Amino acid sequence: MLDSIESPMDLKKIPEEKLPDLAREIREFLIDSVSGTGGHIGANLGVVELTIALHYVFNPPADSILFDVGHQGYTHKLLTGRKGMFPTLNTYGGMSRFLSRTESEYDILDASHAGTSISIGTGMACARMENGSGNLVVTVVGDGALVEGMSFEALNFAAEKGNRGIPLIIVVNDNGMSIPKNVGGINNLFEGPGWEERSSGFFEGLGFQYIPVEDGHDLPSLIRSFRDARNKVSDGVVVVHVKTEKGRGLDIARDHPYKMHFSMPFDPLTGDGSSPVPSGVSYATVVGETLREVMTDDENIVVLTPSTPYASGIEGLLTEFPDQAYDVGMAEQHCVGMAVGLALEGKKTFACFQSTFLQRALDQIFHDMCYMGLPVTIIAARSGFSGYDSPTHHGIYDLSYLSGLPKLNIFYAGTATDLRRILRVRGESPEGPLLILHPYENVWEKGDVIFPDDDDLSMAGVAFDGKDGFIFSVGNRLPDAVRLRESLGEKGVDFGLLNIRWIHPVPREQLTGIMSRVPRIVTLEENVRHAGFGSMIGEIILEEGLDVDLFVSAVEEGFVPAGDKGTLSKLTGIDSDSVLRKISRLWNI
């Protein structure tokens, strides 16, 4: 049956009694395909029947279905004619892990950050009510997205507009999970005996119509409930609360801590390879190991994460230190706010994020953390290119939007040694707000050999001196910096190499001293050019009146496609070979 479906119209031709067979076929296909490519398998196995029922009852694309978060969208892709794209998942230029408007007219949102759909759906539904189009907006909120602050703000306003009959249906995909298990009051509301009565009181108390679906894998119940919601929505916004099982149909997901939320390629029978991160020692691993070390010696240290424990390397700490380590749920703003509160009470607080999600807490960093000058340490993983998730997941903007915040010091750890050292310093005597950035890759072992481990951590690390120029490198470009220096050496050009470490404030006196005695400077960063590290160096050169040539290697403005670091470095022209060609032409060397 799956081979016969190119659009939801083909799905509607299948008799309702045959849909469970289609669901089994889709589930088998997903396990077979994603086990070979890697991808978001757990979340998608949980919404097979839910997605079939949505497309069977509603009429996309006229009726807009918004998936929040977009990693729930694989069955949706199959039902909209993209079966042939699945082998390209996790390849450059291949099928997106999330939804993408460039892939299909059925993808309404480029949805890769959580909690946006109810707000956007409310806007769309208000416009359709005013325009009298008659088409519905259906938001599918799952995997912890409902607890985002934006979701709560949207629920508040959608209930107000619901009295005017906006054509909005909110589907809560309740699988009890975000990435790890859900936490907090919403989880208490939805979990255990009496969940229907409690949830009904909550949503109806806000002003919504409420329809519970106890078994989200029973297609007749789903279809009946969605038809009921379609009939009722003219009387006000409807919430359809669907209980599903994340990882359903994949035995190895049953006892997995994240229900196989995401996995590298894996054996579906044995589970071999089913790690959510690449094998090897990553910088996130170093974070987890070092925090464990300092927490063991100091009960005053507290670690937080907004539902990103494995990407941050701290999943083991949550069980090992239950009174010192907290997953606060998919709530980035709250995470920083809570860290501030802990710091006000004298705790040494570490908040562990992925760089892309740190954007969501910008105001809390500015208003609550920096303005009061509190000794909170934020650790942001995946700074720079972040792989195949989405163009919105790359951490190539963090230096630009964070370096202007008053009182916020920014340290970039480009070696495992630097990362360990700065974490230990902050565990002993934190002073003021600090952001520690590190790349999304395994530890660069050569870095701990090239760069000294006993120098002054408050300064940039000098690996090599040079008379013809210097390379100033941010940590995630250090391997390329070494290759660039070696290539210049083969041309008979002697460049020094600096591991810059401190992005804000930069060690100005040290850098000025170097720039005053060499004729050329090359800056390397995995960040957009505008307001990036190279721009800071240019300002210093102008302000100090230095007679030195500057070449800035950075990502030009815009969004960069999903892809691996090597491919994207070449695409954006910041790899060592591209930089060598450019400066050779520029300086005739």
Side-chain angles (χ1 to χ4, degrees), residues 10 114 199 262 411:
D10 296 321
S199 301
F262 177 87
F411 183 93

Side-chain angles (χ1 to χ4, degrees), residues 350-363:
F350 293 84
C352 299
F353 280 77
Q354 292 187 49
S355 173
T356 182
F357 302 132
L358 190 61
Q359 298 162 188
R360 319 199 89 190
L362 177 59
D363 187 56

